[in-house]
């Protein structure tokens, strides 16, 4: 007598890799030379959330915030447009910072990686954790490379997370 059917998933080899780009131009050079198509690419698009959160500041501070927001919005849109142009075989999604969800601390990141059996080599910063969350949104139960991109013009703020399932790049 059978009480149910048990399905065992094949244990997959999964590696998490981060690339932090010193400048946005470094990211552009990298992406123009990629020789494969990621299975999916999920990009945080700050254009989808048009709020500036600090309204109680001096005029000069508000102007600086507005410039930074504008730079990141441009960076997001250029990244999305370029990925759509270069990676026509990839699933490409843009999501707002709000839809990405709340920030993870390092302990939460470690727990999420351990739960999924995702191997990573180093400590994480907030930009890396954000890029990992983005890559998870596009992750499927198939072999391949899944990207999460947290765009920024800030020095060392542009982060690419690659979740590599059953293979090497």
């Amino acid at each position: 007598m059978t009480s149910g059917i048990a399905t065992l998933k094949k244990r997959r080899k999964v590696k998490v890799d981060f690339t932090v780009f010193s400048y946005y131009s470094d990211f552009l050079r990298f992406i123009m030379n990629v020789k494969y198509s990621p299975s999916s690419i999920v990009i945080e698009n700050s254009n989808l959330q048009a709020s500036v959160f600090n309204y109680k500041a001096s005029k000069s501070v508000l102007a600086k915030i507005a410039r930074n927001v504008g730079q990141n919005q441009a960076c997001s849109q250029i990244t999305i447009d370029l990925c759509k142009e270069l990676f026509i075989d990839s699933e490409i999604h843009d999501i707002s910072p709000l839809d990405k969800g709340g920030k993870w601390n390092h302990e939460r990141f470690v727990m999420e990686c351990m739960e999924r059996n995702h191997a990573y080599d180093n400590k994480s910063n907030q930009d890396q954790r954000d890029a990992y969350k983005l890559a998870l949104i596009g992750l499927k139960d198939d072999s391949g490379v899944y990207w999460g991109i947290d765009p920024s013009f800030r020095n060392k703020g542009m982060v690419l997370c690659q979740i590599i399932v059953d293979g090497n790049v």
Side-chain angles (χ1 to χ4, degrees), residues 52 54 57-70:
V52 176
N54 184 358
S58 70
K59 193 174 182 179
S60 63
V61 168
L62 287 175
K64 182 176 185 199
I65 291 170
R67 281 191 304 275
N68 290 343
V69 167

Side-chain angles (χ1 to χ4, degrees), residues 2-160:
T2 309
S3 60
I5 298 171
T7 305
L8 297 175
K9 284 187 178 180
K10 176 183 165 191
R11 191 162 183 95
R12 295 189 175 276
K13 179 181 172 187
V14 180
K15 181 179 184 229
V16 177
D17 182 55
F18 295 105
T19 305
V20 178
F21 299 93
S22 294
Y23 301 100
Y24 188 67
S25 58
D26 296 334
F27 169 75
L28 293 175
R29 274 190 289 284
F30 166 82
I31 202 167
M32 298 294 287
N33 290 298
V34 171
K35 304 293 185 213
Y36 61 93
S37 287
S39 298
S40 80
I41 303 170
V42 179
I43 303 160
E44 182 175 312
N45 186 351
S46 55
N47 284 313
L48 299 177
Q49 186 173 324
S51 299
V52 176
F53 299 103
N54 184 358
Y55 295 105
K56 296 179 183 180
S58 70
K59 193 174 182 179
S60 63
V61 168
L62 287 175
K64 182 176 185 199
I65 291 170
R67 281 191 304 275
N68 290 343
V69 167
Q71 286 177 335
N72 282 332
Q73 287 177 331
C75 181
S76 296
Q77 195 60 55
I78 291 166
T79 301
I80 291 160
D81 292 346
L82 187 58
C83 285
K84 285 180 178 178
E85 177 87 15
L86 295 174
F87 304 111
I88 59 174
D89 294 330
S90 300
E91 288 184 30
I92 299 173
H93 308 279
D94 58 338
I95 67 165
S96 73
L98 185 62
D99 289 339
K100 180 185 68 188
K103 301 288 187 187
W104 287 352
N105 61 21
H106 182 70
E107 291 75 23
R108 171 76 185 269
F109 168 74
V110 169
M111 181 195 74
E112 296 286 344
C113 287
M114 288 176 62
E115 274 184 13
R116 292 173 173 82
N117 197 34
H118 289 179
Y120 66 98
D121 291 333
N122 51 7
K123 293 181 182 178
S124 68
N125 64 36
Q126 190 61 61
D127 294 321
Q128 291 170 322
R129 293 189 293 268
D130 288 348
Y132 177 71
K133 283 183 76 174
L134 293 164
L136 286 177
I137 291 168
L139 185 62
K140 306 240 187 309
D141 192 29
D142 295 321
S143 295
V145 179
Y146 301 85
W147 283 8
I149 302 174
D150 186 21
S152 176
F153 271 119
R154 191 178 75 252
N155 187 21
K156 295 191 179 180
M158 181 79 185
V159 177
L160 166 69

